[in-house]
Amino acid sequence: MPAADTRPHLPQHQKTLVTGVIGSDTHIVGNRILSMALEQAGYKVATLGALTPAADFIKAAVETAADAIMVSSLYGQGELDCRGFRELCIEAGLDDILLYVGGNLVVGKHPWPEIEKIFLDMGFDRAAAPGTRVETVLDWLARDFAAREQGLRRAAG
Amino acid sequence: MTKAALLIDFGSTYTKLRAIDLGARRVLGSGQGPSTVTSDINIGMRAAMDDLERHLGGLPRFRYRFASSSAAGGLRMVTVGLVRELTAEAARRAALGAGAKLVGTFSYRLTQKDINKINELKPDIVLLAGGTDGGNSAVVLANAGLLAASALACPVVYAGNRAAADDVSTLLAGCTLIVTENVMPEFNTLNIEPARAVIRQVFIDRIVHAKGIDRARADFDAVLMPTPAAVMEGARLLADGVAGHDGLGTVMVVDPGGATTDVHSVADGRPASGQVVAVGLPEPRIKRTVEGDLGMRHNAATIAEVAGIEALAADAGIDPMRARALLAQLATDVGQLPQSADDIALDQALVRAAVFQAVARHCGTLETVYTAHGPVTVQHGKDLSELDAVIGTGGAIVSSPDPGAVLGKALADNTLPLSLRPRAPSLWLDRGYLLYACGLLAAAEPEAALELALGHLQRLDHQPRSMETGNARIRCA
């Protein structure tokens, strides 16, 4: 049988990313800017927009054979909305998909390392603090995809 | 000499003819014969032609002789996609839009059990989709492989991930395969027109022959499409008009039949208010839905189930026990025409319930989502609240003593306040069963077809509903 499903692993393959704002969150502007920047950087982006249930991220990723899902949450309910996200991915056969989350992830002032740990423990590969530059995210993506080629979970640092 | 056209509908019960005077834009006459496609289609066709000749006192020379068909089970289709709400739904819409009778829909990786089921369904065409272009190809290739290894003999239309098309062609080399554009080339982008066109072409090129319809070839020039597609073409023509001649604007056609209730809408259906956020798969402007549980005869029992027997009996003004007994009778004799006053009353309640349910399912709904910044109104499906016209077609509405009351059930009311049903459309009756004929004729003479359709629709009066009820109030909230 032709091994067409090996194509996503070819180095020159254009990576596909799914972006969206999770839960009952209507803050779309930042996510739209991020999506445009990702497209400009050469990624194929499936944009889900605001008010996106967790399951819809997974459905979009299955259909587009996405390489990464980038979840935005700006309204402080991110922890609740993102619980079980990695498990949903595993359930849908997306065991190894790269998962990023970013925004104002929790209500109130907490030290960032604590917040980051919550999301990394949930199975996200990266969590972006408020104010993270697009360039940083692009750098993470490039390095993490390169690390994946070498069989690593994600790049260091 | 009169320039005439003959429009034929090879139906599942009758062979129906309409002879049209193209110059005067009027119906010259009608003819009807039995549907004999299972034995020899020519018998029914001859009977219908004789009937027409009797009415006309002789047959004119026809410039066009176009046919549509829903005979021999209609265009039976199975659709296969990947995610149920995404490519599987897009494939379903493409098949329905092509006028098919959808007998099975499948998603994700097919199992051997699914393949056995598909074989049992004996489809005329399988529509295989899955994956956006450059997206998932593993599942669609696995499904193509399973279909190739099965006993399936019908043509396969491939409208999935473009990147997998070559491999699908290799896998299905032993089958009749037609490759077309992806029904969802990009995530959440619907592209069903190419698949729809290919399905119709396969219908013309192969299915018409396979079903023995072309044995009546001497009596027609071409079978252009399945009958539901002809009705849809008629709806499109009436909505959009032709250059220099306006149509009715946004249109819905409601067709309660013996086995299903079809609803077609020609309207973009986007949110009427900028405050409302549309979610889900984009909606096709020309959309057909088929309700398989709402049929006036074959599925009268399920109409009663959906509406509730008490409510149905109350609407009919008969005792629920009596209604049950009459429904049981209908189940044993689906060919039965209403005789007694109770039969007629029950039939009217059934058609009103079917129209109510089918239109409610076809139209979109509003939902309020509570966010940290207050409530946000979300729209699922099409907003048809501002629709211009609703047209009723088919025997159940046309023969109704009060067709206005039947079509009135399509309108917004306070029973489903979040439903985006039409609020104040004009109501029309396709009394002469001309929509399919106009849809067929539009292929050659669009202007004559439009004028014919507009000239023969009968305007119905109805009591406009109070704007205090229905979706108007929700919109302003």
Side-chain angles (χ1 to χ4, degrees), chain B residues 6 15 35 53 105 111:
Chain B
L6 178 67
T15 302
S35 181
E53 193 170 359
T105 57
T111 62

Side-chain angles (χ1 to χ4, degrees), chain B residues 53-101:
Chain B
E53 193 170 359
R54 258 196 312 279
H55 283 116
L56 296 182
L59 290 176
R61 256 181 72 87
F62 292 110
R63 172 172 286 213
Y64 310 105
R65 297 175 305 168
F66 296 145
S68 67
S69 166
S70 54
L75 173 57
R76 294 171 63 85
M77 278 190 70
V78 160
T79 58
V80 182
L82 175 50
V83 176
R84 197 170 64 84
E85 298 87 346
L86 298 174
T87 49
E89 175 62 20
R92 218 176 67 83
R93 290 189 189 174
L96 285 173
K101 177 176 176 182

Side-chain angles (χ1 to χ4, degrees), chain B residues 288-376:
Chain B
R288 169 175 175 244
T289 49
V290 178
E291 305 306 334
D293 59 342
L294 305 175
M296 292 293 296
R297 285 292 172 273
H298 297 277
N299 295 305
T302 42
I303 297 179
E305 221 169 86
V306 171
I309 187 80
E310 303 283 337
L312 193 76
D315 187 32
I318 57 177
D319 181 73
M321 290 298 287
R322 175 84 178 127
R324 275 202 187 88
L326 291 175
L327 282 167
Q329 260 174 37
L330 272 184
T332 54
D333 179 14
V334 293
Q336 188 184 313
L337 291 173
Q339 303 290 337
S340 70
D342 283 1
D343 288 347
I344 295 170
L346 179 68
D347 243 21
Q348 290 310 298
L350 281 171
V351 70
R352 283 194 291 262
V355 167
F356 176 83
Q357 280 295 333
V359 172
R361 292 177 195 173
H362 183 93
C363 296
T365 52
L366 292 177
E367 180 195 3
T368 305
V369 176
Y370 295 93
T371 75
H373 298 272
V376 173

Side-chain angles (χ1 to χ4, degrees), chain B residues 18 253-257 296 347-348 351-352 355 391-407 428-435 456-458 460:
Chain B
R18 296 289 180 272
V253 172
V254 186
D255 182 0
M296 292 293 296
D347 243 21
Q348 290 310 298
V351 70
R352 283 194 291 262
V355 167
I391 302 166
T393 187
I397 295 186
V398 170
S399 63
S400 166
D402 189 358
V406 177
L407 277 190
W428 304 83
L429 187 62
D430 175 24
R431 190 172 285 286
Y433 187 51
L434 277 174
L435 263 181
H456 285 77
L457 281 182
Q458 182 188 335
L460 296 174

Side-chain angles (χ1 to χ4, degrees), chain B residues 252-311:
Chain B
M252 174 188 284
V253 172
V254 186
D255 182 0
T260 63
T261 296
D262 284 26
V263 180
H264 308 250
S265 64
V266 186
D268 65 33
R270 283 193 285 267
S273 152
Q275 306 298 312
V276 176
V277 184
V279 296
L281 199 59
E283 292 290 333
R285 194 176 79 91
I286 305 178
K287 181 174 185 174
R288 169 175 175 244
T289 49
V290 178
E291 305 306 334
D293 59 342
L294 305 175
M296 292 293 296
R297 285 292 172 273
H298 297 277
N299 295 305
T302 42
I303 297 179
E305 221 169 86
V306 171
I309 187 80
E310 303 283 337

Side-chain angles (χ1 to χ4, degrees), chain A residues 1-2 4-5 7 13 16 24-27 44 46-48 51 56 59-60 62-65 75, chain B residues 82-83 85-87 130-133 135-137 141 163 167 186-187 369-373 376 378:
Chain A
M1 189 175 126
D5 53 349
R7 282 176 198 180
H13 171 71
T16 300
S24 305
D25 192 348
T26 52
H27 297 88
K44 194 176 167 92
T47 53
L48 305 184
L51 293 170
D56 285 9
K59 285 171 189 165
V62 168
E63 201 73 78
T64 59
Y75 72 153
Chain B
L82 175 50
V83 176
E85 298 87 346
L86 298 174
T87 49
T132 52
D133 283 350
N136 184 298
S137 54
L141 287 173
D167 295 335
E186 298 276 335
F187 174 74
V369 176
Y370 295 93
T371 75
H373 298 272
V376 173
V378 168

